[in-house]
Amino acid sequence: MTSKMKKISIILTFLLTIQQIVSAQCNVGNYTVTSNQTITSSCKITGNLTIANGATLNVNYTGTTADTFIVHGNIVLQGNGVLWVHSSAGSTNDQFIVSSSYKSQWTITTQDSSKLQLENIDFSAQEGVPAQASYDVNFNAYGKSIIYINKCTLDPKTSWILCNLYDNSTLTSYDADRVPTETYPQGSSQVHLHGTNTRNGIWMNFESITDTLNLPPNQSQPLTWGVGKIGRAHV
């Protein structure tokens, strides 16, 4: 075997080892990611998912098949940890499901300088055949963490996302349909909404507001407000 062939053999062995590591993340209980990992096919975590130590979990569904990433538990992003769930532009088949229920409503928590990034993904709080009622999932952002949503959708008949922003956290949304469904900025947090297809609910305390809210410029449709003790805007 030539030197070049040996190098190719070593590379192929390394790639196969990486694939085995990726497959081992699926159908397991509580799972902690402390080094960069990639998932490219349907995967289920049957417990809590923690991403820490600056690691990135890249759930890459940009292929041609319809894939689903399911977590049966809470998700915690710490330090500089990143959860990136994404599909191809225009995709309507790939899903990210945080499987919730009335008795166990799961939460996604971002801390420190971590990041939750969802792109071209259908979000759901129910697995399988959805119940008639809508189940809740909470996004809770602390520190300087970031929630970035781009072209994601949610069916409000089956799922609902409550997003609480604290400290200096930031939510940025591009053409997102109800992901998140309701957002509550607090502290020095920021909300940035972009795109004519964006539909997010914003709840703000007008009695002592210190948050930053950027609405889309050149909006073709009117913004509607209902102001009481807490104000709400729909875009």
Side-chain angles (χ1 to χ4, degrees):
M1 182 181 294
T2 66
S3 177
K4 183 176 182 181
M5 292 177 65
K6 288 181 179 179
K7 289 181 179 179
I8 293 174
S9 177
I10 291 172
I11 291 173
L12 289 175
T13 301
F14 175 75
L15 291 176
L16 288 173
T17 301
I18 292 296
Q19 182 61 43
Q20 291 172 357
I21 293 174
V22 169
S23 299
Q25 298 178 48
C26 301
N27 299 313
V28 296
N30 295 337
Y31 189 80
T32 300
V33 178
T34 56
S35 61
N36 294 345
Q37 300 285 343
T38 298
I39 295 173
T40 57
S41 60
S42 292
C43 178
K44 180 186 293 186
I45 305 297
T46 60
N48 297 325
L49 172 64
T50 302
I51 303 176
N53 197 35
T56 295
L57 178 58
N58 178 7
V59 183
N60 185 347
Y61 288 161
T62 56
T64 57
T65 59
D67 293 299
T68 303
F69 180 54
I70 303 173
V71 178
H72 283 183
N74 298 305
I75 300 174
V76 177
L77 311 182
Q78 301 173 335
N80 294 313
V82 176
L83 174 58
W84 183 22
V85 186
H86 59 113
S87 182
S88 303
S91 173
T92 58
N93 298 318
D94 296 300
Q95 287 186 297
F96 176 31
I97 300 176
V98 180
S99 185
S100 192
S101 69
Y102 283 127
K103 295 181 179 180
S104 55
Q105 295 177 342
W106 306 126
T107 297
I108 300 177
T109 301
T110 58
Q111 303 171 343
D112 309 313
S113 296
S114 60
K115 184 176 184 180
L116 170 66
Q117 184 167 340
L118 307 179
E119 299 184 78
N120 303 301
I121 287 288
D122 291 339
F123 187 93
S124 179
Q126 298 190 48
E127 180 184 3
V129 179
Q132 296 297 319
S134 176
Y135 291 173
D136 292 349
V137 169
N138 282 355
F139 288 0
N140 292 331
Y142 298 91
K144 295 182 179 179
S145 61
I146 295 172
I147 297 176
Y148 177 88
I149 312 293
N150 185 16
K151 294 182 174 64
C152 294
T153 62
L154 173 149
D155 181 0
K157 295 180 181 178
T158 64
S159 307
W160 200 268
I161 299 176
L162 302 178
C163 180
N164 295 300
L165 302 174
Y166 304 97
D167 306 324
N168 293 290
S169 59
T170 302
L171 165 69
T172 301
S173 173
Y174 288 88
D175 287 328
D177 188 356
R178 300 183 178 90
V179 184
T181 317
E182 296 180 4
T183 301
Y184 295 80
Q186 303 166 68
S188 298
S189 60
Q190 299 185 39
V191 177
H192 304 275
L193 303 179
H194 306 268
T196 57
N197 294 321
T198 295
R199 287 191 289 180
N200 291 143
I202 308 295
W203 294 72
M204 307 175 72
N205 186 348
F206 286 95
E207 295 177 353
S208 59
I209 186 169
T210 59
D211 314 294
T212 299
L213 171 65
N214 294 339
L215 297 175
N218 303 319
Q219 182 70 20
S220 60
Q221 298 178 349
L223 304 177
T224 59
W225 293 81
V227 180
K229 184 174 182 180
I230 298 178
R232 182 176 187 178
H234 289 286
V235 178

